[in-house]
Amino acid sequence: MTKPRIAIIGAGPGGLLCARVLQIRGFEVAVYEADASVSSRDAGGTLDLKADSGQIALEDAGLLDGFRAVARKEGQAKSRLDQHGAVLSAFVPEEEDEAANEIDRGQLRELLAASLTPGTVRWGHKFVGATEFGDGVRRLEFGNGAVAEADLLVGADGAWSRVRPLLTDATPHYTGISFLDARFDDVDERHPRVAALVGDGHMFATDNAGRALIGQRNSNGHVRGYVALRTEADWCERAGLDLEDREAVQRFLRKEFSGWSDDLMPFITGGDGAFVNRAIHALPAPLTWQPRPGVTLLGDAAHLMSPWGGFGVNLAMLDGAELAHAVAEESTVDAAVARYEAGMLPRAGEHAVGANDAMDRFFSTREFDPSQIPDTAAEHRDSVAAAAEYRRRHPAARDRIAVWTLSFETPGGAKRYDLVLDSGASALTGTLDGVPIEDAARSGDELRFKGKVSSPFKVTFSCTATVDGGSMTGTAKAMMMSIPFTGVLSVTP
């Protein structure tokens, strides 16, 4: 197809991952984000990226090694307690277990954003709306007055998506569960009781009466605590509470959690800063819609579900990778969207129903049933097996796409560009810094191609390199100069 103008609304993990794989496949893309920068707000807690979804997407993006460098295998540990502090179950991962490694949401966002060509993300662009011209072409408007046009509009803008109404009238509904988010800094020194309860991973405690205390270990000595309860959406107003008044909120919660062990009370009494109310919402599940030309959704915009099981971010990233591959491999935008949605919607619907039901059971007011405690070890084995099956069924791009990170020693200092080589066609093709290369050929260990870059200035040059396993050394020759470069293989075909 003629390469479409692609606009992604939302720089969360799904949108950024989609942009990264599109760039690897040689497509230009713009990501529009309301946040002022990648770190302008609290990104949230820790995420477990699963072998059969989030990690597959990172592998497609050439970022799996970068993820593993900061991820925490030990963070997969879990314990389940009752309200008296008795341990009902515990899971400690084996040394080789990487089925659901943990990473802070902020770390993941920074990893993904840094992988994109500079300028890809347009920070400070709050999406306002779109006007359709016909044939799927849309004029996009942003709160800062900027406008753009797109042949493919991707809504990756989360729970309260402004793109979703273009496809469906569905809106998120309150699930009946609210989380009060508490923060514990320098936890091992300042909050040792909380540190001991949470350990290296997660702690879940519930009384089978609609109340729970949850703790999750983050990096840098930080723990996120959640005081969770089944309640009305306007419970704060009904109780006359101001969440900035910590003492009043703590008195209310101590009453709500009366009868719970004093050993668990630091989650209520010991946090740093004010509580933050997070009412849990979900879209109807399973959710479908009639396709429209030039627009689709991914992640929470498409299938907002309960956080139980951690499927949301994993599916968002897999959505992004699959949409990018469909765009690269189908003959039209509409064919790509149809292929993508045919796989995404049923998968998302199944997981959303399961996640919503699992949270409802956890916060049930029925007598405790030990059989409902998930078998984490079995879940990890299933995820690894599902990952192998996914790779068996989706081998094409992974078998032929190689991504090299090249470093050129220019007079102005080292410049880094991504070289993407596609060996699936009759002739070797690819892109350098997102721009198609010319006259590409490989004979044994020797690689030749012509490339163009626009930064730090526009230049066309011919490259000759020697490839030795996962490393490359070569020379780039332009009219007035000859400079050396090196390369490291980041995605292996």
Side-chain angles (χ1 to χ4, degrees):
M1 72 171 82
T2 300
K3 289 190 176 179
R5 295 166 294 180
I6 304 171
I8 298 174
I9 308 300
L16 294 173
L17 192 289
C18 185
R20 165 68 175 176
V21 179
L22 282 166
Q23 289 186 343
I24 287 175
R25 303 299 301 270
F27 286 77
E28 294 186 9
V29 56
V31 181
Y32 297 94
E33 169 58 50
D35 289 347
S37 70
V38 70
S39 57
S40 62
R41 63 178 172 88
D42 180 4
T46 186
L47 303 166
D48 63 315
L49 296 192
K50 302 182 187 301
D52 61 356
S53 45
Q55 292 187 38
I56 282 176
L58 286 169
E59 183 181 35
D60 276 0
L63 299 174
L64 190 57
D65 288 343
F67 161 71
R68 286 173 171 163
V70 296
R72 306 183 308 277
K73 289 192 291 185
E74 69 279 5
Q76 300 174 100
K78 289 182 174 67
S79 61
R80 175 77 176 266
L81 283 64
D82 66 16
Q83 72 271 34
H84 306 300
V87 177
L88 304 175
S89 69
F91 169 77
V92 178
E94 299 289 341
E95 177 63 29
E96 68 277 6
D97 187 346
E98 295 190 74
N101 287 356
E102 295 280 337
I103 185 172
D104 289 3
R105 185 180 289 270
Q107 292 175 321
L108 177 62
R109 194 185 197 199
E110 290 175 358
L111 173 69
L112 291 166
S115 74
L116 299 175
T117 301
T120 299
V121 183
R122 319 294 166 83
W123 302 103
H125 282 63
K126 182 177 182 180
F127 179 66
V128 174
T131 302
E132 186 172 357
F133 293 152
D135 295 327
V137 178
R138 288 175 172 81
R139 182 177 188 267
L140 313 181
E141 299 179 4
F142 301 91
N144 60 3
V147 295
E149 290 186 7
D151 303 302
L152 174 58
L153 173 62
V154 181
D157 49 340
W160 307 104
S161 170
R162 289 176 177 264
V163 180
R164 187 191 301 124
L166 299 177
L167 291 170
T168 174
D169 293 332
T171 56
H173 63 272
Y174 176 57
T175 61
I177 308 297
S178 282
F179 282 32
L180 275 173
D181 185 346
R183 190 183 75 249
F184 300 87
D185 299 322
D186 194 13
V187 67
D188 296 295
E189 296 296 325
R190 299 182 57 240
H191 306 282
R193 292 170 68 188
V194 169
L197 286 165
V198 174
D200 289 331
H202 295 70
M203 181 218 75
F204 300 84
T206 182
D207 60 1
N208 299 299
R211 289 178 290 266
L213 296 174
I214 302 167
Q216 55 173 218
R217 174 78 67 160
N218 289 227
S219 62
N220 300 317
H222 178 71
V223 160
R224 292 269 179 162
Y226 301 96
V227 184
L229 58 162
R230 186 180 290 277
T231 187
E232 299 86 358
D234 61 348
W235 67 273
C236 285
E237 291 81 0
R238 287 172 180 255
L241 288 175
D242 176 1
L243 292 181
E244 294 293 330
D245 186 345
R246 280 188 57 81
E247 292 185 1
V249 176
Q250 288 170 341
R251 286 195 300 270
F252 174 85
L253 293 175
R254 286 297 298 259
K255 184 176 180 181
E256 282 289 311
F257 284 77
S258 63
W260 281 60
S261 169
D262 286 342
D263 290 340
L264 297 169
M265 285 302 100
F267 282 97
I268 292 174
T269 62
D272 298 307
F275 290 101
V276 179
N277 187 41
R278 303 194 189 280
I280 306 301
H281 288 76
L283 283 166
L287 178 63
T288 60
W289 54 77
Q290 291 298 313
R292 287 191 63 184
V295 61
T296 192
L297 305 172
L298 63 80
D300 283 352
H303 45 69
L304 178 68
M305 65 188 73
S306 100
W308 238 245
F311 296 110
V313 70
N314 284 279
L315 294 181
M317 294 170 68
L318 192 60
D319 292 349
E322 290 189 348
L323 175 58
H325 288 312
V327 168
E329 294 162 13
E330 296 297 329
S331 60
T332 67
V333 165
D334 290 346
V337 169
R339 167 180 145 181
Y340 159 69
E341 290 182 351
M344 179 272 291
L345 287 170
R347 176 180 63 213
E350 179 182 355
H351 279 90
V353 169
N356 297 341
D357 287 349
M359 186 177 73
D360 192 59
R361 289 194 303 272
F362 183 84
F363 286 94
S364 71
T365 55
R366 300 187 296 270
E367 184 177 350
F368 173 64
D369 180 358
S371 68
Q372 291 185 354
I373 298 178
D375 184 340
T376 304
E379 290 178 347
H380 284 202
R381 291 192 296 271
D382 291 345
S383 181
V384 171
E389 175 61 16
Y390 184 96
R391 290 184 175 93
R392 186 189 68 79
R393 290 186 290 107
H394 300 81
R398 189 171 288 106
D399 283 351
R400 70 172 191 257
I401 300 294
V403 181
W404 294 82
T405 299
L406 304 187
S407 181
F408 292 78
E409 297 300 325
T410 75
K415 300 296 180 182
R416 194 196 77 172
Y417 305 106
D418 281 341
L419 171 67
V420 181
L421 298 177
D422 186 345
S423 59
S426 56
L428 182 66
T429 61
T431 61
L432 181 68
D433 196 30
V435 179
I437 59 176
E438 299 176 357
D439 300 334
R442 182 170 178 179
S443 177
D445 294 336
E446 185 177 84
L447 173 68
R448 295 177 179 272
F449 65 91
K450 291 181 180 178
K452 300 176 183 179
V453 295
S454 57
S455 175
F457 48 84
K458 290 184 178 180
V459 62
T460 300
F461 47 82
S462 298
C463 293
T464 303
T466 299
V467 178
D468 183 7
S471 62
M472 181 188 302
T473 56
T475 302
K477 294 183 179 180
M479 261 178 44
M480 302 292 292
M481 70 180 78
S482 178
I483 59 175
F485 69 88
T486 58
V488 178
L489 187 64
S490 55
V491 176
T492 307

